[in-house]
Amino acid sequence: MLETKPLFVFCLLSFLRLSATIDTIIPSHSIRDGETLVSAGGTFELGFFSPGNSKGRYLGIWYRISTDAVVWVANRETPIANRSGVLKVTNEGDIVLFNNTNSTVWSSNTSRAAASPVVKLLDSGNLVVKDGNDNGSKNLLWQSFDYPCDTLMPGMKLGKNFVTSRDWFLTSWKSTDDPAKGEFSLRIDTHGLPQQVSMKGDKIKARGGPWNGLSFSGYPRLRPNPVFKYEFVMNKTEVYYVYTLVNSSVFSRLVFYPSGVWGRLIWRDQTHSWEIYSTSQVDQCENYAYCGAYATCNANRSPVCACLQGFVSKSPKNWNSVDWSDGCFRRTPLECNRDGFLKFTNVKLPDTSSSWFNITMSLEECEKLCLKNCSCTAYSNLDIREKGSGCLLWFGNLNDIRVDQDGQDIYIRLANSELDNSEKNRHSSKIKQVRIIVGSALLVMGILILGVISYVWKKKISFKGITRKNYNYVGGNENMELPVFDFMTIANATCNFSGNNKLGEGGFGPVYKGTLQEGQVVAVKRLSTNSGQGMNEFKNEVLLIAKLQHRNLVKLLGYSVQENEKMLIYEYMPNKSLDSFIFDHSRSKLLNWHNRIHIIGGIARGLLYLHQDSRLRIIHRDLKASNILLDDTMNPKISDFGLARTFGGDQTEAKTKRIVGTHGYMSPEYAGYGQFSIKSDVFSFGVLVLEIVSGKRNREFCHFDDHLNLLGLAWRLWIEDQAMELIDKSIGDMFTLSDQVLRCIHVGLLCVQQRPEDRPDMSSVVLMLSSESLLPKPRQPGFYSEKARPIADSSSTKHEPVSTNEISMTLLEGR
Ligand SMILES: *[C@@H]1O[C@H](CO)[C@@H](O)[C@H](O)[C@H]1NC(C)=O
Ligand SMILES: *[C@@H]1O[C@H](CO)[C@@H](O)[C@H](O)[C@H]1NC(C)=O
Ligand SMILES: *[C@@H]1O[C@H](CO)[C@@H](O)[C@H](O)[C@H]1NC(C)=O
Ligand SMILES: *[C@@H]1O[C@H](CO)[C@@H](O)[C@H](O)[C@H]1NC(C)=O
Ligand SMILES: *[C@@H]1O[C@H](CO)[C@@H](O)[C@H](O)[C@H]1NC(C)=O
Ligand SMILES: *[C@@H]1O[C@H](CO)[C@@H](O)[C@H](O)[C@H]1NC(C)=O
Ligand SMILES: *[C@@H]1O[C@H](CO)[C@@H](O)[C@H](O)[C@H]1NC(C)=O
Ligand SMILES: *[C@@H]1O[C@H](CO)[C@@H](O)[C@H](O)[C@H]1NC(C)=O
Ligand SMILES: *[C@@H]1O[C@H](CO)[C@@H](O)[C@H](O)[C@H]1NC(C)=O
């Protein structure tokens, strides 16, 4: 009954709308503020709008399904002060925007004269001017796709035309309220081999890299997929990148945000919102030349920067203080014709702005050519499809190299003596080959001897930390061996698991501090014995967990098994866990806002890695402040990841009877029904964010006489516009940072929403935290009604939440 009325009104409205919509204007017509053009298929609308809090009126094109998704703006620099704007098309085919004094606010400057011009809004979102007498493609006089703003639409080009010298590039808005050109641009740089870059002013800020036949070198995630098709065209006339949608009923756009980060968005009908499909903001290695010249960046490694083999750090002092920008230089100077090349695999190719290329040359010819020219520093294939083809040469410094599992090969010039030093010498000039054969025979013998020695060594005193150290080589260590410690070594290191060495009690057993014979300090997790898991299964799982490597995850150093005793050995974190700071009256003063936002960002990236980027897709299931450890420079590291998977028994399915986790951090669907998903981790993350901002525990917190928990309090302050009240007083004066803090609270509230489908995924969270994009309004958090309120209060959302009784029960059980 209730639904008939809105439905009727809706039908009436859409009828009125349909009857009034047009998609074209001709010289005798005009569009006033309040009137719009609608594309024939009903996807796009053109008209006047005011973005965000702005009062100015702009002429733009937006999606009708979500009118705040503006894809193009005409007068981005010249807003009209009030609703007096009028759009007209002149007899010559010029589109002109006038204001109240009939002065031209904006004009398309259509270049060719037309006999009978027609302006039409197409279903691709393109506004075109055509000469109506003639409908071939030649009579296209002007199109908005040639004047991109901050959005790249399917079918729109990003690149350059050398004949017309037209440059298609995106420029960010100044802010979400102001579509004027901001300081960032996303373009194809055509110095040397064309490459995709985002620039801040005239400086490169991030680089997608050159096209390698499949994708931009730095964005392997662009690889074939069911949603998009990509094309990169490069010939004498033009260079451009374009994408099209495989299924035309899917909506997608790529937005370049005011912060200089781009996001590729897909419309989800189910949630009625834009979901982030991919984004440029993944980790610190995305910053251009973060590690300087001749160094590789790898966010999963600590430290993230390392010199290429054969190169040494320019200013070791700065490297130690985590400023990498000086980069590295050659240990041994080049000797020109007598040099050779060392092959590096799995890299994102360095900056190609001073490079040379030839599409038909083979790799062998390429090597010869590079060797001949003394200023050539590296070479590689141009196109990596099939066996690889083409030749790309670099001159001068090699900048902005990163390690990437899906990356490609590059051959870097080194002095011959350096090549001799290299055990991985696979590729060098011909003259050297004889020497290499002899050399490698010796090497093999050496390795054999080393192997025997290390075997004996391991047997005797187990781990020495040597096995892995020497393999800090580009490409990652796929088949690394995880050291096995024997029980006695660990018992000695922890003084027989003495109470004095106990660091705490985790979800899966106690944790001890230990000191190995060599002085290395480690944390030992002694697992409770009731997992019922076999030894081989255990070993396999541990090896899988060890492969998860990320700057924001605690590193597993080894493990130990003896009969029923299973232990995991981790790196030791001197600053203990996050809860020992934020919930402690005096220690909380040590964490200023800068530390806190750094910690929130780090946890978000670590969790994103677990959810999306690692090959295992781990749901943590017990994310909480005591599971976030802090290293000596306050970098957060998530611990206990993968354990739920290993020790959860029957819990590999999305529903479980035995609930691991901690009350206060568990989402309603998990606590109530045992349903877990990445969205239950997102909930815990949201709780954590609110705890970090407020310095208060979710579970224990009581707000005066009200029985609201932290989520309830945050929500109430939010809707009362008092969110700043939530902030931990220890953070100090917040005036200058209030926007950033409010944004954090906002993101936290989005994460703790009652319904899992309303919560953002972690890639969206990372983007939201790092950009200034508009955020959706949060809905009521889960557990809002806990104890204090009658259930009727909380049932405003359509889906019936877990009943209050059940929640109280689970909560009581947890105490
Ligand atoms: C109209 O344009 C003129 C000239 O650019 C400008 O002086 C005037 O303020 C504008 N009026 C409005 C309402 O924007
Ligand atoms: C716009 O402003 C001008 C003066 O600034 C005024 O004359 C005109 O009536 C206004 N138009 C509308 C539609 O508000
Ligand atoms: C603007 O032009 C229209 C007709 O094109 C005219 O009726 C109106 O008086 C003009 N207004 C001003 C302020 O010149
Ligand atoms: C049209 O030409 C004017 C004057 O040369 C210029 O200011 C304006 O930016 C041009 N408009 C477009 C869309 O290029
Ligand atoms: C141009 O349009 C007319 C009708 O609008 C159509 O009959 C004709 O085939 C079209 N020509 C081309 C080249 O598309
Ligand atoms: C360049 O490529 C475009 C798109 O494939 C094509 O239309 C154009 O004719 C090509 N130009 C040359 C000179 O090959
Ligand atoms: C295209 O997308 C729509 C909406 O997501 C879906 O219903 C339809 O099945 C898809 N078509 C194909 C051929 O995949
Ligand atoms: C590219 O290499 C081929 C074969 O080696 C050669 O014939 C051609 O002239 C080269 N092109 C350029 C532009 O150097
Ligand atoms: C080496 O290559 C650079 C850049 O292409 C060129 O300027 C220089 O003349 C070349 N030198 C020789 C000896 O070929």
Side-chain angles (χ1 to χ4, degrees):
M1 277 303 284
L2 270 173
E3 272 178 28
T4 36
K5 207 163 128 195
L7 195 65
F8 170 71
V9 172
F10 176 75
C11 288
L12 187 69
L13 276 176
S14 46
F15 170 73
L16 287 174
R17 242 190 170 157
L18 276 178
S19 64
T21 59
I22 46 166
D23 68 346
T24 48
I25 47 171
I26 52 173
S28 58
H29 295 165
S30 60
I31 297 279
R32 299 183 171 279
D33 195 333
E35 298 168 345
T36 59
L37 287 185
V38 175
S39 65
T43 309
F44 289 98
E45 189 162 14
L46 172 141
F48 293 85
F49 73 103
S50 297
N53 297 322
S54 162
K55 296 250 158 40
R57 303 295 289 170
Y58 295 87
L59 181 78
I61 300 173
W62 56 84
Y63 280 95
R64 290 180 80 215
I65 39 166
S66 92
T67 53
D68 56 349
V70 174
V71 299
W72 184 77
V73 183
N75 55 325
R76 49 190 306 198
E77 308 284 346
T78 48
I80 300 170
N82 65 13
R83 292 173 177 265
S84 60
V86 184
L87 180 72
K88 286 184 179 155
V89 50
T90 66
N91 289 324
E92 290 74 43
D94 215 359
I95 314 176
V96 190
L97 185 58
F98 297 104
N99 75 6
N100 61 308
T101 55
N102 285 357
S103 32
T104 304
V105 172
W106 174 88
S107 152
S108 68
N109 301 341
T110 307
S111 52
R112 269 189 304 152
S116 64
V118 176
V119 175
K120 186 169 185 175
L121 178 61
L122 305 182
D123 241 353
S124 55
N126 195 2
L127 182 70
V128 297
V129 184
K130 287 193 167 187
D131 201 344
N133 283 344
D134 166 13
N135 47 5
S137 72
K138 275 198 185 128
N139 66 341
L140 181 67
L141 302 175
W142 184 90
Q143 58 175 341
S144 63
F145 271 19
D146 280 340
Y147 301 87
C149 293
D150 71 338
T151 304
L152 193 70
M153 304 284 289
M156 215 161 147
K157 293 175 179 176
L158 189 75
K160 271 191 186 128
N161 185 315
F162 301 117
V163 176
T164 61
S165 37
R166 175 152 283 148
D167 198 352
W168 298 284
F169 62 92
L170 302 183
T171 37
S172 62
W173 287 20
K174 268 210 171 105
S175 72
T176 46
D177 294 340
D178 185 358
K181 282 184 179 151
E183 47 184 348
F184 296 101
S185 64
L186 182 72
R187 56 172 78 229
I188 304 292
D189 173 18
T190 51
H191 299 94
L193 179 64
Q195 57 178 347
Q196 192 238 54
V197 291
S198 33
M199 324 254 305
K200 179 174 184 172
D202 56 1
K203 293 220 162 53
I204 299 181
K205 189 183 149 272
R207 206 173 56 89
W211 191 261
N212 60 22
L214 291 173
S215 71
F216 293 111
S217 177
Y219 296 133
R221 265 159 273 192
L222 218 68
R223 294 257 161 97
N225 66 69
V227 187
F228 311 102
K229 271 194 304 213
Y230 308 96
E231 197 185 355
F232 191 77
V233 169
M234 183 168 79
N235 60 30
K236 286 220 166 64
T237 341
E238 51 188 353
V239 170
Y240 64 84
Y241 161 78
V242 69
Y243 75 97
T244 49
L245 290 166
V246 174
N247 179 343
S248 59
S249 53
V250 171
F251 297 134
S252 170
R253 60 196 169 113
L254 187 149
V255 184
F256 192 50
Y257 293 101
S259 56
V261 170
W262 58 254
R264 189 185 286 282
L265 309 173
I266 293 184
W267 177 257
R268 292 282 177 223
D269 272 334
Q270 301 92 317
T271 57
H272 218 70
S273 64
W274 294 95
E275 187 175 285
I276 294 170
Y277 181 83
S278 57
T279 153
S280 57
Q281 185 72 44
V282 183
D283 53 46
Q284 61 269 60
C285 295
E286 291 294 318
N287 297 321
Y288 177 72
Y290 186 72
C291 297
Y294 300 112
T296 60
C297 192
N298 181 354
N300 299 341
R301 174 177 68 191
S302 182
V304 282
C305 294
C307 290
L308 288 168
Q309 192 168 337
F311 294 81
V312 287
S313 166
K314 235 181 203 166
S315 43
K317 232 197 223 160
N318 286 351
W319 272 58
N320 295 335
S321 63
V322 207
D323 174 8
W324 318 100
S325 54
D326 284 346
C328 309
F329 69 101
R330 276 175 207 288
R331 189 159 44 198
T332 317
L334 294 176
E335 295 170 79
C336 204
N337 303 350
R338 300 185 48 229
D339 302 328
F341 295 94
L342 183 61
K343 179 181 182 178
F344 291 79
T345 54
N346 295 327
V347 298
K348 164 185 167 183
L349 295 181
D351 189 353
T352 55
S353 48
S354 54
S355 66
W356 177 93
F357 64 97
N358 179 322
I359 296 173
T360 51
M361 237 176 224
S362 71
L363 202 60
E364 288 73 35
E365 293 173 290
C366 199
E367 177 181 359
K368 276 188 202 141
L369 201 61
C370 189
L371 195 60
K372 257 196 273 176
N373 185 325
C374 301
S375 50
C376 176
T377 44
Y379 71 92
S380 83
N381 264 142
L382 203 58
D383 191 323
I384 60 167
R385 283 174 297 185
E386 291 167 21
K387 281 185 193 142
S389 59
C391 170
L392 174 57
L393 303 181
W394 280 265
F395 298 96
N397 283 354
L398 301 176
N399 275 316
D400 197 39
I401 310 174
R402 71 175 292 177
V403 177
D404 195 325
Q405 274 179 6
D406 297 312
Q408 52 202 89
D409 300 345
I410 185 173
Y411 301 85
I412 293 177
R413 188 182 207 123
L414 284 178
N416 248 317
S417 55
E418 285 292 341
L419 292 172
D420 290 343
N421 292 342
S422 149
E423 41 177 357
K424 297 230 172 184
N425 187 353
R426 285 190 228 148
H427 211 94
S428 76
S429 63
K430 296 256 154 56
I431 326 159
K432 284 283 145 192
Q433 276 188 357
V434 179
R435 238 199 249 179
I436 287 161
I437 293 170
V438 176
S440 37
L442 286 173
L443 200 73
V444 168
M445 271 174 65
I447 288 173
L448 275 176
I449 293 168
L450 259 177
V452 171
I453 292 176
S454 73
Y455 178 76
V456 173
W457 200 335
K458 249 195 206 166
K459 274 270 154 175
K460 263 192 152 163
I461 42 172
S462 73
F463 178 63
K464 272 262 182 187
I466 291 174
T467 20
R468 292 200 293 161
K469 240 184 212 158
N470 292 335
Y471 283 85
N472 227 346
Y473 189 76
V474 176
N477 26 22
E478 254 318 286
N479 300 312
M480 61 169 187
E481 265 291 313
L482 191 66
V484 189
F485 294 74
D486 68 40
F487 184 81
M488 281 317 292
T489 309
I490 300 302
N492 286 339
T494 56
C495 305
N496 254 328
F497 305 101
S498 85
N500 288 342
N501 280 36
K502 193 162 165 181
L503 293 170
E505 182 88 33
F508 300 92
V511 185
Y512 298 89
K513 180 175 176 178
T515 311
L516 299 178
Q517 262 173 1
E518 313 78 60
Q520 187 182 11
V521 184
V522 296
V524 177
K525 180 157 222 145
R526 196 174 189 184
L527 299 162
S528 30
T529 47
N530 56 5
S531 75
Q533 204 184 24
M535 217 42 93
N536 275 337
E537 280 169 279
F538 172 74
K539 205 177 144 189
N540 286 340
E541 281 289 340
V542 169
L543 284 174
L544 279 178
I545 295 175
K547 280 199 181 136
L548 296 173
Q549 292 196 20
H550 187 274
R551 194 178 148 74
N552 299 111
L553 301 182
V554 174
K555 199 179 203 164
L556 186 63
L557 300 175
Y559 66 102
S560 166
V561 281
Q562 179 157 340
E563 289 170 23
N564 264 339
E565 191 73 59
K566 295 170 187 157
M567 287 180 290
L568 296 173
I569 290 85
Y570 291 101
E571 58 180 335
Y572 175 71
M573 290 290 138
N575 273 326
K576 308 232 171 65
S577 53
L578 182 61
D579 59 337
S580 72
F581 279 91
I582 55 175
F583 302 139
D584 182 283
H585 184 66
S586 54
R587 297 236 294 167
S588 66
K589 295 197 175 63
L590 299 173
L591 283 189
N592 61 21
W593 178 248
H594 176 76
N595 295 135
R596 293 187 196 220
I597 187 78
H598 176 73
I599 289 170
I600 291 173
I603 302 170
R605 283 191 297 271
L607 200 54
L608 172 63
Y609 174 81
L610 288 177
H611 285 179
Q612 270 184 7
D613 297 339
S614 78
R615 279 163 291 177
L616 298 175
R617 182 178 261 250
I618 298 277
I619 299 172
H620 189 295
R621 290 208 268 161
D622 197 13
L623 194 68
K624 55 180 169 180
S626 58
N627 271 339
I628 305 298
L629 306 183
L630 297 168
D631 74 3
D632 46 0
T633 52
M634 289 298 184
N635 289 312
K637 310 235 175 192
I638 301 174
S639 72
D640 269 10
F641 52 89
L643 288 189
R645 180 186 147 106
T646 314
F647 301 102
D650 61 341
Q651 295 162 10
T652 43
E653 285 176 350
K655 197 158 178 194
T656 177
K657 285 187 219 103
R658 196 186 132 207
I659 295 168
V660 295
T662 305
H663 294 293
Y665 292 94
M666 273 194 276
S667 63
E669 74 278 7
Y670 184 35
Y673 300 123
Q675 283 170 349
F676 66 88
S677 66
I678 53 173
K679 294 297 181 71
S680 30
D681 272 358
V682 170
F683 185 94
S684 312
F685 173 79
V687 174
L688 204 44
V689 169
L690 295 173
E691 288 186 337
I692 294 171
V693 173
S694 69
K696 297 178 176 78
R697 264 186 221 275
N698 185 33
R699 188 160 50 125
E700 290 171 2
F701 181 65
C702 280
H703 188 251
F704 301 108
D705 50 332
D706 214 332
H707 293 286
L708 292 170
N709 58 10
L710 175 60
L711 302 192
L713 177 77
W715 173 246
R716 212 191 56 197
L717 291 172
W718 179 262
I719 50 183
E720 287 167 3
D721 229 358
Q722 305 276 311
M724 293 300 280
E725 295 279 304
L726 193 67
I727 296 163
D728 189 350
K729 299 286 177 291
S730 330
I731 300 180
D733 183 16
M734 292 297 338
F735 281 118
T736 51
L737 293 165
S738 59
D739 280 356
Q740 212 185 17
V741 184
L742 282 178
R743 194 171 185 83
C744 268
I745 297 175
H746 194 157
V747 171
L749 284 170
L750 288 171
C751 292
V752 297
Q753 292 176 100
Q754 174 91 44
R755 298 167 52 190
E757 57 270 35
D758 289 342
R759 297 173 208 147
D761 57 20
M762 287 313 294
S763 60
S764 308
V765 169
V766 169
L767 185 66
M768 287 172 181
L769 288 171
S770 64
S771 72
E772 286 159 26
S773 57
L774 272 182
L775 302 179
K777 281 208 178 75
R779 295 185 191 186
Q780 177 177 298
F783 296 129
Y784 177 53
S785 65
E786 187 198 329
K787 288 180 190 167
R789 314 231 153 176
I791 189 154
D793 255 8
S794 72
S795 54
S796 55
T797 46
K798 265 194 289 178
H799 289 236
E800 188 61 20
V802 186
S803 87
T804 316
N805 283 341
E806 266 175 286
I807 295 164
S808 310
M809 260 170 56
T810 41
L811 281 171
L812 284 171
E813 198 183 283
R815 291 191 173 160

